[in-house]
Amino acid sequence: MGSQCSKFTPCCLDSQFKPASVVEVSDTIGVEGKNEADSLPVFREFTFEQLKNATSGFAVENIVSEHGEKAPNVVYKGKLESQRRIVVKRFNRMAWPDARQFLEEARSVGQLRNRRLANLLGCCCEDDERLLVAEYLPNETLAKHLFHWESHPMKWAMRLRVALHLAEALEYCTSKGRALYHDLNAYRILFDEDGNPRLSSLGLMKNSRDGKSYSTNLAFTPPEYLRTGRVIPESVIYSFGTLLVDLLSGKHIPPSHALDLIRDRNLQMLTDSCLEGKFSNDDGTELLRLASRCLQYELRERPSSKSLVAALIPLQKETEVSSHVLMGIPHSTSLSPLTPFGEACSRKDLTAIHEILENIGYKDDEGVTNELSFQMWTDEMKETLTFKKRGDSAFKQKDFRDAMECYTQFIDAGTMISPTLFARRSLCYLMIDMHQEALNDAMQAQVISPVWHVASYLQAIALGMLGMENEAQLALKEGTNLEAERSRISDEHK
């Protein structure tokens, strides 16, 4: 790797930079397995009801926006009936007043399909609603891994890989006539199941009716945007330069300050102290040179995305190491240690699951909103509650057909909403080989209680019984993560 150094000497800024040899853009770095983009469904239009159900009624628990509920356009995670994980961006009601313009833009972006993108899968345009649907990537943002890491900082080889993958994403979009990206920053880069970085396709569409394309932090805004209020391809390259500074420094340094440090040769301030001795002088110099070129005031002095790709390919390190290994992320094929519930689901041990559900009782219904009217004092309500009691008794005695019928009568009465009841009926269906009905009930339980691990576990079993093994593994992993998070929160409150 050459001499190891994370401090630059003044000679690092001399202008005798040798142009990088042009290398064909290919699958050189960190691309494992088949091209996932080829297996994606074609872009489609969803109904508002479908997306409402997918996000459990746009539940607060499913918000993944950078600024949560305060974001002008909120992003939710969700799951379609096909079990595909998605994110849904819901624009505020004043955004995109022209429905035709919104649909045309969404369809255009939806034609893009590339493994360097978190691809757009569909949209919804009903009444005042404007929503975009994209792939869900489960392993957080670059901002989280770079600025807010908990266990270990991002390795130098991975930072170089992020830069290349991002440049390749921009070059692909440019080649398809979509060179404009709005507010490119570390929150727009996401990591997939394999730990590979991808660019969110949501930034390929403007955020609002006024065409505002950048956040309110003017320190990171391209100078020409401040003059004209318009994004041009060169503006995207400028933002790419700010990301290169982020990757080198591990901090979000304003471009003007970064350029001042470069001019003053105060380069130690520009390098992440966590990378001490972890990269060569030449590598750091080249990355800094690229960042400097991207941040030039004059548009013509900024490089193209194609030349950025050519310059970044020769810098790649540890190319034989998978991204998930470099990132320290468990691979999608591996699971965290399973709890007794998770183990029972993995084995499809319905008897063990029955025992667990019986022990849980109805305590997980606490906090679920149930609006009871004066009906609860009538004979009709008492009769309805009798169905539940009879169902619980039959469930305990393992008379699953009788329990299913009683629970159905209680649910059909529509007096109370209970995720536990749907979970219990789901297990009853599993016991009598009605697997699709079991899946439907498990999904309904999750709609009512979006972060309830029991619902995900039951979905895993039903999907496995239906022969959908990949989806079953994803549901099992989701249930494991939800249960672990529940335990962590419980421990914190003890």
Side-chain angles (χ1 to χ4, degrees):
M1 193 182 292
S3 62
Q4 297 300 306
C5 175
S6 64
K7 294 190 177 99
F8 293 93
T9 59
C11 65
C12 297
L13 288 180
D14 289 347
S15 57
Q16 65 262 23
F17 296 112
K18 297 179 181 179
S21 58
V22 177
V23 181
E24 193 69 31
V25 180
S26 64
D27 301 340
T28 313
I29 305 300
V31 180
E32 296 89 17
K34 66 178 182 178
N35 188 343
E36 184 183 342
D38 292 341
S39 64
L40 287 174
V42 295
F43 182 87
R44 58 175 284 201
E45 291 183 34
F46 293 89
T47 66
F48 181 74
E49 192 65 24
Q50 284 175 316
L51 299 184
K52 182 179 178 181
N53 290 337
T55 58
S56 300
F58 300 102
V60 173
E61 297 93 334
N62 285 332
I63 293 178
V64 293
S65 301
E66 175 187 345
H67 300 295
E69 290 181 277
K70 296 180 181 178
N73 306 298
V74 184
V75 181
Y76 301 83
K77 65 180 178 179
K79 185 164 55 177
L80 298 173
E81 288 185 0
S82 65
Q83 304 302 304
R84 180 179 289 278
R85 266 67 172 177
I86 58 170
V87 292
V88 179
K89 182 173 184 177
R90 189 181 189 185
F91 290 91
N92 66 58
R93 293 192 179 278
M94 293 304 293
W96 297 99
D98 188 333
R100 179 179 296 179
Q101 182 189 27
F102 174 79
L103 283 172
E104 287 177 354
E105 278 284 293
R107 287 168 181 158
S108 177
V109 175
Q111 298 308 305
L112 303 178
R113 284 289 182 270
N114 191 273
R115 70 178 122 194
R116 298 296 185 240
L117 296 175
N119 296 275
L120 201 64
L121 303 178
C123 70
C124 173
C125 187
E126 288 184 17
D127 300 324
D128 292 333
E129 295 290 349
R130 306 285 185 268
L131 304 104
L132 295 175
V133 180
E135 289 182 275
Y136 171 69
L137 305 189
N139 284 313
E140 301 285 357
T141 66
L142 175 62
K144 172 67 184 296
H145 292 293
L146 200 56
F147 308 138
H148 310 295
W149 52 273
E150 296 172 358
S151 56
H152 57 80
M154 184 179 290
K155 293 182 178 180
W156 177 244
M158 194 65 216
R159 299 186 194 210
L160 292 173
R161 191 171 296 182
V162 169
L164 175 59
H165 281 208
L166 177 56
E168 289 178 336
L170 295 177
E171 170 56 14
Y172 169 76
C173 292
T174 299
S175 72
K176 298 298 183 180
R178 301 292 311 194
L180 302 186
Y181 194 94
H182 304 272
D183 202 10
L184 177 63
N185 60 56
Y187 288 96
R188 306 292 181 264
I189 301 168
L190 310 163
F191 291 84
D192 64 18
E193 294 87 348
D194 298 320
N196 287 317
R198 298 209 235 159
L199 179 62
S200 170
S201 59
L202 298 177
L204 291 165
M205 291 180 64
K206 290 196 302 288
N207 288 324
S208 62
R209 177 178 56 178
D210 60 12
K212 182 177 178 182
S213 297
Y214 284 87
S215 64
T216 54
N217 195 336
L218 300 181
F220 297 89
T221 303
E224 65 276 5
Y225 180 78
L226 296 176
R227 294 195 305 270
T228 67
R230 292 178 56 247
V231 174
I232 55 177
E234 292 83 358
S235 306
V236 183
I237 299 300
Y238 184 93
S239 295
F240 183 85
T242 68
L243 278 166
L244 290 182
V245 172
D246 290 348
L247 289 166
L248 182 62
S249 67
K251 298 183 286 289
H252 202 33
I253 300 175
S256 59
H257 183 43
L259 289 172
D260 286 342
L261 291 172
I262 292 171
R263 293 188 193 99
D264 295 341
R265 301 181 185 274
N266 189 0
L267 301 176
Q268 187 173 351
M269 291 289 292
L270 271 174
T271 59
D272 193 334
S273 60
C274 297
L275 295 174
E276 185 77 32
K278 300 293 176 60
F279 64 94
S280 73
N281 197 40
D282 291 343
D283 288 347
T285 301
E286 178 63 11
L287 201 67
L288 187 62
R289 181 185 75 88
L290 291 174
S292 302
R293 289 182 59 205
C294 293
L295 296 174
Q296 290 301 305
Y297 185 86
E298 293 294 335
L299 303 180
R300 65 178 180 274
E301 294 181 10
R302 297 176 196 167
S304 66
S305 55
K306 186 174 183 178
S307 65
L308 286 171
V309 171
L312 286 164
I313 285 178
L315 294 181
Q316 300 306 306
K317 309 296 177 187
E318 301 185 50
T319 57
E320 73 288 352
V321 182
S322 299
S323 293
H324 71 88
V325 174
L326 287 177
M327 292 290 290
I329 295 172
H331 196 226
S332 56
T333 57
S334 64
L335 287 168
S336 303
L338 295 175
T339 64
F341 204 155
E343 284 284 0
C345 288
S346 181
R347 301 192 309 269
K348 298 183 178 66
D349 186 343
L350 301 184
T351 301
I353 291 169
H354 171 261
E355 184 177 344
I356 292 171
L357 289 183
E358 183 64 32
N359 289 334
I360 290 174
Y362 285 84
K363 67 179 182 180
D364 286 341
D365 279 7
E366 295 172 10
V368 177
T369 302
N370 286 309
E371 296 183 3
L372 298 179
S373 67
F374 65 89
Q375 242 189 334
M376 69 181 298
W377 305 110
T378 67
D379 290 340
E380 180 183 349
M381 181 58 191
K382 290 176 182 177
E383 183 180 354
T384 302
L385 287 173
T386 300
F387 290 134
K388 176 182 173 297
K389 291 178 181 178
R390 282 175 49 197
D392 288 342
S393 177
F395 187 83
K396 186 173 184 177
Q397 299 300 320
K398 300 184 181 181
D399 185 351
F400 296 111
R401 285 191 181 276
D402 192 28
M404 177 196 70
E405 292 171 2
C406 291
Y407 286 149
T408 298
Q409 288 176 292
F410 180 83
I411 289 170
D412 289 348
T415 309
M416 296 174 63
I417 298 174
S418 167
T420 298
L421 250 125
F422 280 103
R424 287 183 164 218
R425 192 173 70 169
S426 177
L427 182 64
C428 292
Y429 282 134
L430 288 171
M431 288 290 190
I432 58 176
D433 296 329
M434 296 177 68
H435 303 140
Q436 184 60 54
E437 290 79 0
L439 177 61
N440 294 342
D441 269 6
M443 292 180 68
Q444 186 59 43
Q446 189 171 50
V447 168
I448 300 168
S449 191
V451 294
W452 195 32
H453 60 288
V454 173
S456 295
Y457 280 145
L458 288 170
Q459 287 176 47
I461 299 173
L463 288 164
M465 297 290 195
L466 290 166
M468 302 169 69
E469 285 300 331
N470 290 337
E471 292 82 357
Q473 284 298 310
L474 287 173
L476 180 60
K477 184 177 181 180
E478 181 179 55
T480 301
N481 293 337
L482 289 174
E483 189 173 11
E485 179 66 11
R486 182 190 183 101
S487 297
R488 184 188 66 80
I489 293 172
S490 176
D491 290 342
E492 288 178 354
H493 286 84
K494 283 181 180 178

